[in-house]
Amino acid sequence: GGAAAPHSVSWRWWIVSDSEVAYLSQAYPRGTPSVVHPVLQCSHCDTVTFPGTEAGLVTMVDGGTRMVARTGRRMYERDYRAVTKHASVHCEGTPLTQTNVVLYESDVDTLVALVPQSPEVLDSELDGLGITSSFQTDLDDAVVAPHGLFPRPIGLRPPSPLSSGSLSSELLARFAFLGKLVAQALVDERLLDLPLAVPFLRLLRGESLLGNMALALEHIATVDPQLGRSLQYLYDHRHDASIDDMGLTFVLPPSSMPLCDKGADRLVTTDNVVEFLDLTATTMLDTAIRPQVDAFRAGFASIAPLHVLTMLSAADWSVLLADPSRQMWPGGADEIRAAMVCDHGYTMDSRAIEWLVDILAELAPDDQRLFVRFVTGSHRLPMGGLARLDPALTVVRKLTVDDASSSTANDAILPSASTCTNYLKLPDYSSKDIMRTKLLYCIHEGQLSFHLS
């Protein structure tokens, strides 16, 4: 939207979360061509918040000097510091810059329409890296992903060739961006969900995956178990005459990428099968992926020193970056109780809270992640776990529409959450089993739902 005089501002960009856009769409007074609205923006990370309440957007009165809610209550910039989801963790709770902006209904509709097409990282940042806005387009060209992300050897097809030139440059820019992403996450103390394969992490640490055929084949099996088994079979039967009848050639399986000059015309035999295996391992674990590894390390080094990569083992990095088996609260019920806050109808001694703690402690890791995402909007807790969640996990009693307290009325409604404040709104169910059923239904079926509650 255009800035309202006399507060004319030239924005570099707005970083707006999907949930914030969804709120704007819900809260904008439909049928009103435009409103003067006090947009709040962090001057450091550019995150934008549209102040408002459940009743609608806050508007300006008295010549643009006071923020007032639709209920008539006066609002202040400080009211929105704690609930603003910043792009950088270091900005949380900091003062926001207020600018009175003319929001047009047509602009709101355009913004809502653009959300599904908008990448997680701004186009302007990607352009600076030489990457187009479709960062994940043709991702299969760049990585082998089923068993952890690992660079696909340059030249390997399908679905489309990755050769030298602009496409290869764009590919390397993506790996440089990933390096920057990991380094910035460390600086900001954020946890990612980036399942890099352990062999790739070893390469990023500066290790070599070659030098021993048995270990090299193990690394390949980690990335591609089926290919690893096939190569291991060849190695175990390298003296077997049946290899001569397999019709294999010197190309990188399962592609048509030649491993040597005229490799497609050179048959694999018992005399050269070890050479074939050595070239396959060298190509897959070094020469054809070295540019991607170097690009990642260069991107990382632009944010943090490279020696940081050697401070953890590859296995430790794998756990830090993405560990689906990791418990959200390894301390069990005691850890949950210590980190939980009860309010508005509940205390730690409430029956419903005791049931909730037991249910959460019994959840499998996958369901723990779904619960965390349902309540916080993120499927990973900050470093330090549940105790470091800010605002703290807060559980309040959810009432029925008519504030009825009967068991039947409570059992008929579902829990809900306010992810901005990490609030779980939990009805006072009549039994622990009903609570478990309702909670599991919500965390499994409500991940893509956003409503004002």
Side-chain angles (χ1 to χ4, degrees):
H7 304 281
S8 180
V9 172
S10 175
W11 300 94
R12 286 187 298 158
W13 56 59
W14 283 3
I15 294 181
V16 188
S17 67
D18 291 0
S19 59
E20 196 70 20
V21 173
Y23 169 74
L24 178 62
S25 176
Q26 292 275 353
Y28 188 89
R30 293 299 175 176
T32 305
S34 65
V35 296
V36 178
H37 178 64
V39 173
L40 302 179
Q41 183 174 36
C42 176
S43 60
H44 300 287
C45 69
D46 302 312
T47 299
V48 162
T49 293
F50 302 107
T53 65
E54 293 183 4
L57 288 176
V58 163
T59 55
M60 300 304 299
V61 299
D62 295 342
T65 60
R66 292 198 306 152
M67 287 195 295
V68 177
R70 297 288 292 275
T71 59
R73 175 188 172 191
R74 183 170 183 180
M75 307 299 292
Y76 299 90
E77 170 270 333
R78 61 177 178 269
D79 296 329
Y80 296 92
R81 295 179 189 176
V83 298
T84 299
K85 294 289 187 180
H86 290 269
S88 172
V89 69
H90 295 299
C91 298
E92 293 180 3
T94 59
L96 304 170
T97 300
Q98 176 185 334
T99 304
N100 297 344
V101 173
V102 178
L103 282 179
Y104 293 92
E105 185 173 21
S106 58
D107 291 339
V108 173
D109 293 336
T110 300
L111 184 60
V112 172
L114 288 175
V115 165
Q117 308 170 32
S118 178
E120 292 296 323
V121 182
L122 296 178
D123 287 348
S124 53
E125 291 187 332
L126 293 175
D127 290 341
L129 295 170
I131 304 174
T132 63
S133 61
S134 56
F135 177 72
Q136 295 192 7
T137 301
D138 297 329
L139 184 59
D140 287 342
D141 283 350
V143 294
V144 180
H147 304 279
L149 300 175
F150 188 85
R152 188 183 297 276
I154 291 181
L156 179 60
R157 316 159 191 249
S160 61
L162 286 176
S163 57
S164 59
S166 60
L167 186 55
S168 180
S169 298
E170 181 175 331
L171 169 68
L172 297 182
R174 294 181 181 184
F175 278 91
F177 172 76
L178 286 178
K180 289 186 175 185
L181 176 66
V182 171
Q184 191 63 55
L186 291 177
V187 171
D188 289 346
E189 297 184 0
R190 289 182 178 271
L191 291 176
L192 299 175
D193 188 18
L194 189 63
L196 300 181
V198 171
F200 185 38
L201 291 167
R202 293 173 69 96
L203 290 169
L204 296 177
R205 296 180 73 254
E207 301 178 31
S208 173
L209 303 183
L210 303 174
N212 181 295
M213 180 59 69
L215 289 178
L217 293 179
E218 285 185 16
H219 294 316
I220 293 175
T222 299
V223 176
D224 189 335
Q226 183 175 354
L227 176 59
R229 287 192 296 269
S230 298
L231 296 178
Q232 187 66 53
Y233 178 87
L234 290 177
Y235 184 71
D236 293 340
H237 298 80
R238 56 189 180 277
H239 302 301
D240 194 328
S242 63
I243 290 180
D244 297 344
D245 301 323
M246 290 183 179
L248 298 175
T249 58
F250 274 69
V251 297
L252 183 65
S255 73
S256 57
M257 178 181 177
L259 295 172
C260 60
D261 186 35
K262 298 182 180 180
D265 300 323
R266 184 183 178 190
L267 290 174
V268 177
T269 67
T270 53
D271 294 330
N272 60 25
V273 64
V274 174
E275 180 188 359
F276 167 78
L277 292 171
D278 183 66
L279 287 174
T280 298
T282 301
T283 301
M284 187 171 180
L285 301 177
D286 186 26
T287 55
I289 64 168
R290 178 55 53 185
Q292 298 97 302
V293 173
D294 291 343
F296 187 107
R297 285 170 57 88
F300 187 96
S302 68
I303 303 293
L306 272 178
H307 72 80
V308 173
L309 289 171
T310 64
M311 295 175 67
L312 296 176
S313 68
D316 289 338
W317 274 112
S318 179
V319 172
L320 180 64
L321 293 177
D323 182 12
S325 65
R326 186 177 184 180
Q327 296 278 342
M328 293 288 103
W329 30 85
D334 291 340
E335 180 178 348
I336 297 170
R337 290 191 191 93
M340 182 184 293
V341 174
C342 300
D343 205 350
H344 298 300
Y346 285 141
T347 69
M348 289 304 299
D349 296 324
S350 298
R351 179 188 66 176
I353 298 302
E354 293 179 357
W355 289 346
L356 175 64
V357 171
D358 289 343
I359 292 169
L360 295 181
E362 295 166 358
L363 290 179
D366 286 346
D367 284 340
Q368 290 180 12
R369 289 160 65 89
L370 289 177
F371 173 80
V372 169
R373 184 174 181 182
F374 178 72
V375 176
T376 71
S378 172
H379 53 271
R380 299 198 74 179
L381 292 171
M383 291 183 181
L386 201 58
R388 290 286 303 277
L389 194 62
D390 185 21
L393 172 62
T394 302
V395 184
V396 300
R397 182 178 176 183
K398 183 175 184 178
L399 301 175
T400 58
V401 175
D402 56 359
D403 291 351
S405 58
S406 68
S407 297
T408 302
N410 286 325
D411 290 348
I413 59 178
L414 292 169
S416 60
S418 295
T419 56
C420 293
T421 52
N422 303 329
Y423 256 52
L424 175 64
K425 302 172 184 178
L426 185 71
D428 188 14
Y429 293 113
S430 62
S431 74
K432 183 178 176 181
D433 287 340
I434 291 177
M435 179 184 292
R436 179 186 290 106
T437 300
K438 298 286 188 179
L439 191 62
L440 288 175
Y441 178 83
C442 283
I443 66 175
H444 282 274
E445 303 298 332
Q447 293 294 331
L448 300 180
S449 177
F450 180 88
H451 304 281
L452 296 179
S453 64

